[in-house]
Amino acid sequence: MPHFTVVPVKDQAQSSYDSLEGINWVDHRDTGQDCPDHQDGAEEHVNHKEDSPFLNNADTTGRKNDFYDRNLALFEEELDIRPKVSSLLSRLVNYTNITQGAKEHEEEEIAEASRRKTPKSPNMGTLMGVYLPCLQNIFGVILFLRLTWIVGMAGIIQSLLIVLMCCSCTMLTAISMSAIATNGVVPAGGAYFMISRSLGPEFGGAVGLCFYLGTTFASAMYILGAIEIFLKYLVPQAAVFHSADHLGRDSALLNNMRLYGTLCLSLMAVVVFVGVKYVNKLASLFLACVIISIVSIYAGAIKSMTHPPEFPICMLGNRTLVRDGFDVCAKTVIMGNITVPSQLWNRFCVGGNLSSTEQCDDYFIQNNVTEIQGIPGLGSGIIRENMWSNYLQKGEILEKAGLQSVNVHGPIENFINYVSADIATSFTLLVGIFFPSATGIMAGSNRSGDLRDAQKSIPVGTILAITTTSLVYVSSVVLFGSCLEGVVLRDKFGNAVQQNLVVGTLSWPSPWVIVIGSFFSTVGAGLQSLTGAPRLLQAIAKDNIIPFLRVFGHGKANGEPTWALLLTGLIAELGILIASLDMVAPILSMFFLMCYLFVNLACAVQTLLRTPNWRPRFKYYHWALSFLGMSMCLALMFISSWYYAIVAMGIAGMIYKYIEYQGAEKEWGDGIRGLSLSAARYALLRLEAGPPHTKNWRPQLLVLLKLDEDLHVKYPRMLTFASQLKAGKGLTIIGSVIKGNFLESYGEMQAAEQAIKNMMEIERVKGFCQVVVATKVREGIAHLIQSCGMGGMKHNTVVMGWPYGWRQSEDPRAWKTFINTVRCTTAAHLALMVPKNVSFYPSNHERFTDGNIDVWWIVHDGGMLMLLPFLLKQHKVWRKCKMRIFTVAQMDDNSIQMKKDLATFLYQLRIEAEVEVVEMHDSDISAYTYERTLMMEQRSQMLRQMRLSSAERQREAQLVKDRHSLVRMGSLYSDEEEDVIEVPPEKVHMTWTREKCEAERRNRNNAPENFRELMSLKPDQSNVRRMHTAVKLNEVVVNRSHDARLVLLNMPGPPRDTDGDENYMEFLEVLTEGLERVMLVRGGGREVITIYS
């Protein structure tokens, strides 16, 4: 599907239409002709009109048929800028989702369109496109290396609390993310794209960099996990640094991690640089390793009920011994009927003599050596001992409660024989370490361009993946606590179980399944992070919101982010140099929590602001859930590490301020009022920077009201309609014009303003009032259209009433003001809404419990017809009405395909509506249409002749009244004067001659002759075609929508030739006959609705 985007366009040559009524109009229509003179000499002009891929795309070959389509003759003068719906839909289906956000990317797409292959249509479903990638990103190193240790330290209850907190946080974030991701198409960029397009570039840049840093540190964490598995469980002999004493053992391990981590990072960076496609191909293999490893854990837990694996634990007193350097867990062994010291004895005693114990460790001598089962099994009841926490300080020996022990201090040299805690543990520390195992929920949204139906797959796949992983974590916590001995759970590196991976001891059929599977899964996750992080940085750099990152937007010829990969490797190396998985995990937890916090904030803000573009297809969200998720993210940040949280927030705040104030003027006022004025001024200046993006567009109304002689609002329902459409959001200006002189009518103007304000309060319209005094009402309206608002707070839509009684009045003021206003709004690129029969519109106290709002989409002029019913349905009066969209198919259109394409388009727009395509076959012009056109032209000709002189006006007006029995009625602005200035009669002394007398006699005889000419008129063929369109469309609309609560119609533009103005009014009247509530809508020349988030 295409997208709507802001593209500055060059001015085209002005047509003769531009100079009508003295209006300066910049024409953006594609004439289909080359204008070399203009292109060479004209200055490029950037204007507030937003173009789109399908507003100006009509090719010249199909244009002639569009212009001269008999059934659309009423719209033919503007089909170049307002194409037929059928031609629009045919172009929509040829578009595919492309990455947004980088202007250079879009320009390159256009430049290389000729030599680019046809893009492959997205065909990934929920399972392969979202569910499995999320599983792969969520399951990771923490599950295999740290979850058993977390259960041993925190106990089952607190471990379940940790899992519940982290998974609830990610679930709430996934709900918010699903709402944002289904609010249009989310191209590549994932969280960064969603946040930056929802909260603006400042938040987007700050959180995008936080997400980038989190992903980069995640690659360091995965690499450290892989190296830990490699050095501890796969090839311990590969260690380069060694230490004999217990004090140097930890530092030797860290140095080994740094050495091998740096080598592994370099190797992975080369792989990503050379062939990223191989990384994506190996993703399925890495995911299979994860799934097989998890299944082996469950299989081993079930098997342990009957046949628990043999992993004995050697205990000295109640202390856990390192199972290394001895094979028999006893002080002595019998060899050939002789009791000799065991290998264990030699580790605690200097001499090998059993009779001499002076040189032995006192604790060793006074306590017994026992052997307990490391994995009692699922049915052993060990779960009771593992329910509660057992936090340890650094260096504290792992002890088992319940075993007898004589507490005697031994020499410090023997401390290396015991299993001890390498770091101090607490609940908050474990939260920070575990949270990375709940991240990875953005994998689905990052692949939205590859999904067959992203708006369905992303919510379902992400929430199912989080549910699956949460169940796995919860069940794993319970299984680990039910099967493993407490001292084994607290043994982080498996020293008590013969240097085996603790979770591997439970797996079936062999511990090597877990060791090898976890190694490959961590390597794969590290490669995925090193692949994704540079692309995220490149997307941020290409948006050009952070100037010093601009260099990282460049890369190889094929688009690979070379410089971004280099920076990512350097930052990941910082994490490698930390060398501790337990210290790196809280760092990336901070950055991910910051990102999730702003995803929730974005959803909550969009929901509360109720912007017109906020139409998520995912309905199961609420702003309260988003605020709860945001609060949980903030709480988890400070729970896991308050100082890391402050640093992360400080980094994000500095980036935010840098983006916000780069090149912006900062000013502070005095006191509260000065601060408010400064904030208002700053906001107006920010709005002045450029036109709003399509997704932020909402109708900012200028409502033109008419006042009666007593300065009361003549049609209060205009205000009612405005309040229902706006619902208190955005800008509403109520304007009116008083005829007169400003110096004399100032008091009258103030009284009129007060009357309008009182009516605004009654109708609950939140906005501003502006009354203008002008010598001509028409000029006053033009002034309102030009000058209302300030800076960026200007109206973009004009609402005006229908000139009731124009047909019964022979006074041209009845409709000239109306048409002049239409032309002014067109020239100013403003949208126009004309509610007809506004007195029949519902009040704010009425409720429609059923019925339809019917949209008749004849030509496309920016999407106003789609947006207005959606906005009305937000109000309680219209909320229960259903939306129906009708479009017209001609003879050469495929109506079945049109209906399918239109349904797809509405699905992408997140608008629920019933779609119907009405076929209008070419038919002969009926006698009724011909007669109706003839009567219209006769009346116009008569009124034109009546204005020739005052004498003829009096005589022919009487003929009109006699023939049609017309009754004079008030017009829209009946107090407006004629453009023709009538000179007051003066007494002139004339001398009659024969020539003058004959001329006067001829003039008197002209009127009957003119009337006889009227009777023999033949209607203009152009008017016949237009009348045919109006009659045919009216028949179809009345037939389908006679019982609709409201009908919205495309409003044809006024004729370029001003001589046909009165005929234009007749066409509009015929088009809307027989409809109780109808609104004519005319777009402002820019897209107002988008399929993108």
Side-chain angles (χ1 to χ4, degrees):
M1 281 294 163
H3 65 283
F4 302 81
T5 183
V6 179
V7 180
V9 295
K10 293 185 178 180
D11 299 345
Q12 302 293 331
Q14 290 186 343
S15 67
S16 60
Y17 180 48
D18 304 344
S19 58
L20 288 179
E21 302 280 343
I23 296 172
N24 293 321
W25 151 295
V26 180
D27 194 0
H28 291 269
R29 290 166 292 175
D30 183 6
T31 62
Q33 300 171 352
D34 295 332
C35 303
D37 297 338
H38 169 75
Q39 292 173 357
D40 293 338
E43 180 179 335
E44 184 174 352
H45 175 73
V46 179
N47 137 338
H48 283 202
K49 170 178 164 48
E50 179 171 305
D51 207 348
S52 79
F54 44 79
L55 262 185
N56 294 3
N57 262 5
D59 54 11
T60 55
T61 57
R63 191 168 294 160
K64 185 174 294 186
N65 292 334
D66 285 350
F67 282 178
Y68 297 103
D69 195 315
R70 181 183 294 175
N71 290 326
L72 292 182
L74 200 55
F75 301 90
E76 66 185 12
E77 288 188 349
E78 295 184 308
L79 281 176
D80 49 354
I81 58 173
R82 304 174 197 271
K84 285 198 307 180
V85 174
S86 58
S87 59
L88 167 73
L89 292 175
S90 67
R91 289 194 294 271
L92 288 179
V93 296
N94 294 327
Y95 272 77
T96 57
N97 301 331
I98 63 169
T99 305
Q100 278 193 345
K103 182 181 176 183
E104 294 85 355
H105 175 80
E106 295 181 3
E107 291 174 349
E108 185 181 357
E109 288 272 319
I110 297 171
E112 298 183 359
S114 59
R115 55 188 176 88
R116 191 180 47 171
K117 292 183 179 180
T118 304
K120 192 176 181 180
S121 60
N123 55 5
M124 297 184 74
T126 303
L127 180 67
M128 296 301 296
V130 181
Y131 180 71
L132 292 180
C134 282
L135 282 187
Q136 182 183 2
N137 281 266
I138 295 173
F139 286 135
V141 64
I142 302 296
L143 171 63
F144 302 116
L145 294 184
R146 292 293 183 267
L147 189 56
T148 54
W149 174 69
I150 291 174
V151 174
M153 291 295 180
I156 294 177
I157 293 179
Q158 291 190 21
S159 298
L160 289 175
L161 180 60
I162 292 172
V163 172
L164 180 64
M165 288 171 58
C166 296
C167 293
S168 298
C169 178
T170 53
M171 179 62 81
L172 292 173
T173 304
I175 292 173
S176 299
M177 185 199 72
S178 298
I180 298 174
T182 57
N183 186 49
V185 179
V186 179
Y192 164 69
F193 181 89
M194 290 190 292
I195 296 171
S196 62
R197 271 56 177 179
S198 298
L199 294 180
E202 294 89 357
F203 280 110
V207 181
L209 279 184
C210 284
F211 192 47
Y212 163 72
L213 292 174
T215 308
T216 304
F217 275 101
S219 65
M221 184 190 73
Y222 290 128
I223 291 172
L224 289 174
I227 298 304
E228 182 178 311
I229 296 172
F230 179 76
L231 291 177
K232 282 284 185 180
Y233 312 113
L234 282 175
V235 191
Q237 303 83 6
V240 176
F241 301 95
H242 302 278
S243 178
D245 61 335
H246 72 282
L247 295 176
R249 185 174 58 181
D250 292 340
S251 61
L253 175 62
L254 295 179
N255 289 330
N256 285 316
M257 298 280 283
R258 293 185 181 108
L259 174 63
Y260 282 99
T262 303
L263 293 175
C264 184
L265 175 63
S266 303
L267 181 62
M268 286 185 176
V270 170
V271 171
V272 172
F273 178 78
V274 172
V276 68
K277 59 182 179 180
Y278 301 112
V279 177
N280 296 327
K281 289 181 179 179
L282 290 173
S284 301
L285 174 63
F286 298 142
L287 176 61
C289 292
V290 174
I291 295 176
I292 292 172
S293 301
I294 293 173
V295 170
S296 70
I297 295 174
Y298 284 103
I302 295 172
K303 182 177 179 294
S304 69
M305 294 180 65
T306 56
H307 299 86
E310 291 292 332
F311 281 98
I313 308 298
C314 191
M315 308 292 297
L316 178 59
N318 63 353
R319 297 180 180 178
T320 308
L321 295 175
V322 175
R323 195 75 180 226
D324 184 28
F326 64 92
D327 51 359
V328 178
C329 183
K331 293 182 179 181
T332 60
V333 293
I334 300 174
M335 297 181 64
N337 295 326
I338 300 174
T339 302
V340 297
S342 65
Q343 293 175 332
L344 183 59
W345 179 283
N346 294 329
R347 294 182 71 86
F348 284 92
C349 297
V350 177
N353 190 356
L354 292 176
S355 59
S356 176
T357 59
E358 288 81 3
Q359 294 181 333
C360 291
D361 189 333
D362 291 341
Y363 188 86
F364 178 75
I365 296 300
Q366 298 186 30
N367 288 279
N368 295 324
V369 175
T370 57
E371 198 172 54
I372 62 174
Q373 180 68 338
I375 306 178
L378 197 57
S380 63
I382 196 69
I383 187 173
R384 289 189 293 270
E385 297 181 15
N386 295 328
M387 291 294 291
W388 311 109
S389 62
N390 193 352
Y391 297 113
L392 301 177
Q393 296 299 316
K394 183 176 181 180
E396 191 173 346
I397 298 174
L398 272 62
E399 299 178 348
K400 176 175 172 57
L403 291 181
Q404 292 183 353
S405 173
V406 178
N407 194 9
V408 180
H409 291 287
I412 193 68
E413 293 82 7
N414 292 329
F415 185 79
I416 196 173
N417 295 319
Y418 301 110
V419 181
S420 60
D422 63 329
I423 59 172
T425 53
S426 63
F427 178 80
T428 58
L429 175 75
L430 298 184
V431 170
I433 292 175
F434 177 77
F435 186 79
S437 63
T439 61
I441 62 175
M442 302 290 184
S445 62
N446 291 342
R447 293 168 175 247
S448 61
D450 301 325
L451 299 175
R452 186 184 307 112
D453 188 354
Q455 297 189 358
K456 177 183 177 183
S457 298
I458 289 177
V460 174
T462 305
I463 292 175
L464 277 180
I466 294 175
T467 304
T468 303
T469 53
S470 301
L471 291 175
V472 170
Y473 287 141
V474 169
S475 59
S476 298
V477 167
V478 175
L479 286 178
F480 293 158
S482 304
C483 297
L484 297 173
E485 176 63 49
V487 291
V488 177
L489 289 173
R490 289 187 288 277
D491 183 6
K492 182 188 293 186
F493 300 112
N495 293 322
V497 285
Q498 301 170 5
Q499 305 298 324
N500 277 299
L501 183 62
V502 174
V503 70
T505 60
L506 183 63
S507 66
W508 179 87
S510 168
W512 288 101
V513 175
I514 292 287
V515 173
I516 296 174
S518 60
F519 177 76
F520 280 112
S521 68
T522 50
V523 169
L527 281 172
Q528 293 282 357
S529 298
L530 274 181
T531 304
R535 280 158 179 74
L536 179 59
L537 180 62
Q538 187 183 42
I540 299 172
K542 281 192 173 183
D543 268 356
N544 203 20
I545 58 174
I546 305 177
F548 66 81
L549 292 180
R550 197 172 300 154
V551 65
F552 299 107
H554 307 293
K556 294 194 293 186
N558 60 355
E560 291 297 319
T562 308
W563 293 105
L565 177 61
L566 180 62
L567 179 64
T568 302
L570 293 175
I571 297 175
E573 178 62 21
L574 296 178
I576 297 294
L577 294 178
I578 295 174
S580 173
L581 182 68
D582 304 319
M583 294 182 69
V584 173
I587 296 176
L588 66 99
S589 294
M590 290 303 114
F591 291 123
F592 278 121
L593 281 168
M594 179 84 67
C595 176
Y596 295 166
L597 184 148
F598 281 101
V599 169
N600 286 296
L601 176 63
C603 180
V605 168
Q606 295 268 51
T607 306
L608 291 176
L609 288 180
R610 294 166 64 186
T611 55
N613 190 58
W614 182 244
R615 303 182 302 275
R617 190 160 294 280
F618 179 77
K619 301 298 183 184
Y620 306 102
Y621 69 95
H622 194 270
W623 64 265
L625 290 177
S626 299
F627 269 116
L628 179 61
M630 188 174 66
S631 303
M632 288 191 69
C633 290
L634 192 63
L636 284 174
M637 287 175 66
F638 282 92
I639 286 174
S640 56
S641 177
W642 63 268
Y643 45 90
Y644 279 163
I646 292 175
V647 170
M649 294 174 71
I651 293 173
M654 286 189 292
I655 298 171
Y656 176 91
K657 287 300 179 184
Y658 173 78
I659 299 173
E660 182 182 15
Y661 289 111
Q662 189 228 353
E665 181 184 356
K666 188 161 79 171
E667 178 181 302
W668 300 97
D670 298 322
I672 299 300
R673 180 167 177 78
L675 184 62
S676 300
L677 287 173
S678 178
R681 174 184 174 276
Y682 178 70
L684 284 172
L685 289 175
R686 289 286 302 275
L687 286 174
E688 187 75 10
H693 192 273
T694 302
K695 66 178 186 180
N696 294 327
W697 195 95
R698 66 162 70 240
Q700 315 290 7
L701 300 183
L702 170 61
V703 183
L704 299 177
L705 285 185
K706 183 184 177 186
L707 305 178
D708 58 18
E709 293 78 6
D710 299 326
L711 299 181
H712 294 149
V713 178
K714 193 166 185 179
Y715 299 110
R717 287 294 165 87
M718 295 276 287
L719 295 175
T720 309
F721 172 73
S723 69
Q724 293 169 2
L725 184 64
K726 297 296 290 182
K729 299 290 189 299
L731 176 69
T732 304
I733 302 174
I734 310 299
S736 188
V737 179
I738 294 178
K739 181 187 173 186
N741 184 283
F742 177 74
L743 298 177
E744 299 172 356
S745 306
Y746 180 72
E748 189 178 356
M749 182 191 74
Q750 285 188 317
E753 279 190 359
Q754 192 57 47
I756 292 176
K757 287 179 180 177
N758 293 339
M759 187 57 67
M760 289 171 65
E761 188 173 349
I762 293 172
E763 297 296 338
R764 298 179 182 177
V765 176
K766 297 178 181 179
F768 307 97
C769 171
Q770 188 162 352
V771 178
V772 171
V773 179
T775 55
K776 292 183 179 181
V777 175
R778 186 184 304 180
E779 291 181 358
I781 294 176
H783 294 158
L784 283 174
I785 291 174
Q786 293 177 68
S787 60
C788 277
M790 177 183 292
M793 286 288 287
K794 294 183 72 69
H795 57 279
N796 56 29
T797 305
V798 176
V799 182
M800 62 184 295
W802 178 259
Y804 303 103
W806 71 272
R807 189 187 280 166
Q808 287 79 14
S809 173
E810 62 213 40
D811 189 350
R813 295 174 302 185
W815 43 265
K816 277 193 174 182
T817 299
F818 177 82
I819 297 180
N820 184 71
T821 307
V822 175
R823 287 199 170 103
C824 287
T825 57
T826 304
H829 298 292
L830 301 177
L832 177 65
M833 291 188 286
V834 182
K836 195 179 177 191
N837 302 329
V838 73
S839 301
F840 295 105
Y841 279 47
S843 68
N844 286 326
H845 304 292
E846 297 181 46
R847 301 285 187 279
F848 287 141
T849 57
D850 57 3
N852 300 307
I853 299 177
D854 285 358
V855 174
W856 284 85
W857 193 23
I858 312 299
V859 293
H860 178 70
D861 59 353
M864 277 282 289
L865 286 171
M866 309 291 184
L867 188 62
L868 292 176
F870 172 78
L871 295 177
L872 282 175
K873 279 169 60 65
Q874 307 304 306
H875 197 273
K876 53 190 176 183
V877 173
W878 305 89
R879 186 166 295 151
K880 294 188 178 180
C881 291
K882 295 181 180 178
M883 184 174 167
R884 297 191 302 184
I885 295 184
F886 297 88
T887 190
V888 174
Q890 306 301 323
M891 282 292 292
D892 54 346
D893 295 329
N894 185 342
S895 57
I896 298 176
Q897 186 63 36
M898 276 183 66
K899 184 172 183 178
K900 181 180 177 182
D901 295 341
L902 181 56
T904 303
F905 183 48
L906 290 177
Y907 181 81
Q908 295 285 1
L909 288 174
R910 295 92 62 203
I911 290 179
E912 295 180 1
E914 182 182 336
V915 175
E916 191 164 343
V917 176
V918 179
E919 295 183 351
M920 289 184 65
H921 300 294
D922 286 341
S923 59
D924 294 333
I925 296 174
S926 63
Y928 170 76
T929 300
Y930 196 85
E931 182 182 356
R932 188 87 183 245
T933 309
L934 181 62
M935 290 178 62
M936 175 187 72
E937 294 192 356
Q938 286 177 352
R939 180 180 183 279
S940 300
Q941 183 68 20
M942 288 174 67
L943 290 177
R944 193 175 296 114
Q945 292 176 5
M946 288 166 64
R947 289 193 291 269
L948 294 177
S949 68
S950 58
E952 290 179 336
R953 172 181 293 180
Q954 292 174 1
R955 287 194 295 270
E956 297 196 13
Q958 186 63 41
L959 290 174
V960 173
K961 292 179 182 179
D962 293 343
R963 178 172 181 179
H964 297 290
S965 301
L966 300 179
V967 181
R968 182 183 178 90
M969 298 181 65
S971 61
L972 177 64
Y973 290 104
S974 59
D975 55 351
E976 185 181 357
E977 73 287 349
E978 278 272 19
D979 287 346
V980 179
I981 300 175
E982 295 185 3
V983 180
E986 296 181 0
K987 294 182 179 180
V988 180
H989 179 72
M990 297 184 64
T991 302
W992 286 92
T993 63
R994 180 175 297 180
E995 291 79 8
K996 289 184 178 179
C997 186
E998 291 177 355
E1000 177 66 17
R1001 189 178 294 112
R1002 283 196 300 269
N1003 288 337
R1004 291 184 178 180
N1005 294 331
N1006 276 343
E1009 292 174 4
N1010 291 338
F1011 183 74
R1012 285 191 292 271
E1013 289 175 5
L1014 287 177
M1015 297 300 101
S1016 60
L1017 271 178
K1018 290 186 178 180
D1020 181 66
Q1021 288 302 312
S1022 174
N1023 286 337
V1024 172
R1025 288 190 295 108
R1026 286 176 168 83
M1027 182 63 76
H1028 178 72
T1029 298
V1031 170
K1032 290 280 290 183
L1033 282 176
N1034 179 257
E1035 288 178 0
V1036 174
V1037 173
V1038 171
N1039 182 40
R1040 301 297 182 97
S1041 303
H1042 61 277
D1043 57 348
R1045 300 296 188 185
L1046 179 65
V1047 176
L1048 284 83
L1049 272 170
N1050 282 115
M1051 182 178 182
R1056 298 179 183 180
D1057 183 6
T1058 54
D1059 292 339
D1061 282 358
E1062 191 173 8
N1063 296 338
Y1064 172 69
M1065 295 298 300
E1066 185 71 28
F1067 295 144
L1068 294 183
E1069 196 73 65
V1070 171
L1071 186 63
T1072 56
E1073 276 181 351
L1075 298 173
E1076 183 181 19
R1077 300 185 194 93
V1078 62
M1079 184 160 63
L1080 296 170
V1081 180
R1082 186 166 169 78
R1086 60 162 290 167
E1087 299 299 336
V1088 301
I1089 197 167
T1090 176
I1091 64 174
Y1092 281 93
S1093 171

